Amino acid sequence: MRRADRNNSEDRVLLRALRDFNLGKLVADDVGIFVGMIDDLFPKQREHVVRAREMDFEEKIVEAAKALMLQAENVFVLKVSQLREIAFVRWSVFVLGPAGCGKSEMIKTLAKAQNLFGEKATINVLNPKSVTRNELYGYIHPVTREWKDGLLSQIFRDLANTFTCKSEYLVLDGDIDAEWIESMNTVMDDNKTLTLASNERI
């Protein structure tokens, strides 16, 4: 970020990094508190540092939204852009919000915009609450002792063997539950590995 913005001082580059990479992660109630903290750390600086925007990609977001029969409003384009920025630096992202607020459409729009932009992207969508734990992760058959892949382990296996896509989105579209989220700990941290009951690591 510093190399791309040599005109501003280090303080302003740091302000931009803190603001742009964190605003997208906050719920609306926390934005005011965060902005107040930024203003305390960098007095009278925030209004002089504009948000870095990728205008070429934002045009593709608008094009993708229209292709998906969505209204490309400014807030929607902003949220898609913020999700892209977060995905650059984060391996695992939680998109939170009430039903019908546009979470799934935002991810679909991002993937389509990336494809239009020349960055191949794929999406796999799965509701982890719609199947049992064994059907999700796989299990060892009690009689034959053979391993039977679940939906998630099979998807992970397929994604691990795909090398042509820049972005591969696995969307677990449903309520967060301790029953299935616990086994995702090693996937969401820096290990980026799914550990199965058979002791296999993908």
Side-chain angles (χ1 to χ4, degrees):
M1 185 175 267
R2 178 60 178 153
R3 290 192 188 103
D5 188 3
R6 294 184 180 277
N7 295 326
N8 277 323
S9 65
E10 286 189 12
D11 285 352
R12 290 188 177 184
V13 173
L14 178 58
L15 188 157
R16 173 179 285 169
L18 287 171
R19 184 194 59 195
D20 292 357
F21 285 116
N22 287 294
L23 272 181
K25 303 175 196 173
L26 302 175
V27 295
D29 293 341
D30 292 339
V31 170
I33 298 169
F34 178 76
V35 169
M37 291 169 61
I38 289 289
D39 287 341
D40 288 343
L41 288 169
F42 304 96
K44 299 180 181 179
Q45 293 282 332
R46 183 169 53 88
E47 58 271 14
H48 300 296
V49 182
V50 296
R51 177 175 167 267
R53 298 176 64 182
E54 201 175 351
M55 299 306 295
D56 291 346
F57 190 77
E58 287 189 17
E59 289 175 9
K60 297 301 179 185
I61 293 173
V62 173
E63 188 179 333
K66 290 179 179 176
L68 293 169
M69 307 298 287
L70 301 170
Q71 292 180 335
E73 295 183 355
N74 291 337
V75 174
F76 184 75
V77 173
L78 172 65
K79 291 299 174 187
V80 175
S81 297
Q82 287 176 336
L83 180 60
R84 174 178 164 84
E85 290 166 5
I86 292 170
F88 276 139
V89 293
R90 291 284 183 269
W91 161 253
S92 177
V93 179
F94 286 85
V95 181
L96 305 175
C101 72
K103 301 184 296 292
S104 299
E105 296 304 324
M106 180 177 68
I107 298 167
K108 289 177 188 173
T109 304
L110 174 58
K112 187 163 186 65
Q114 284 183 286
N115 283 320
L116 292 171
F117 198 60
E119 302 173 359
K120 191 173 179 185
T122 61
I123 300 182
N124 290 278
V125 182
L126 171 65
N127 183 353
K129 297 282 283 181
S130 65
V131 293
T132 66
R133 184 184 175 89
N134 284 348
E135 291 171 331
L136 186 63
Y137 288 107
Y139 62 97
I140 298 173
H141 195 280
V143 178
T144 63
R145 307 303 295 171
E146 290 182 354
W147 173 253
K148 172 86 172 161
D149 263 331
L151 293 170
L152 198 57
S153 56
Q154 186 59 58
I155 291 171
F156 259 87
R157 209 180 294 282
D158 294 341
L159 293 179
N161 293 321
T162 302
F163 303 100
T164 57
C165 292
K166 179 169 184 179
S167 300
E168 298 167 330
Y169 297 106
L170 174 55
V171 182
L172 300 175
D173 197 352
D175 295 337
I176 297 174
D177 190 304
E179 187 174 340
W180 66 266
I181 198 72
E182 270 186 28
S183 298
M184 294 290 288
N185 283 338
T186 55
V187 176
M188 293 185 290
D189 64 19
D190 290 337
N191 292 316
K192 302 180 183 178
T193 303
L194 178 65
T195 305
L196 304 175
S198 62
N199 290 325
E200 182 184 1
R201 294 160 64 86
I202 303 174

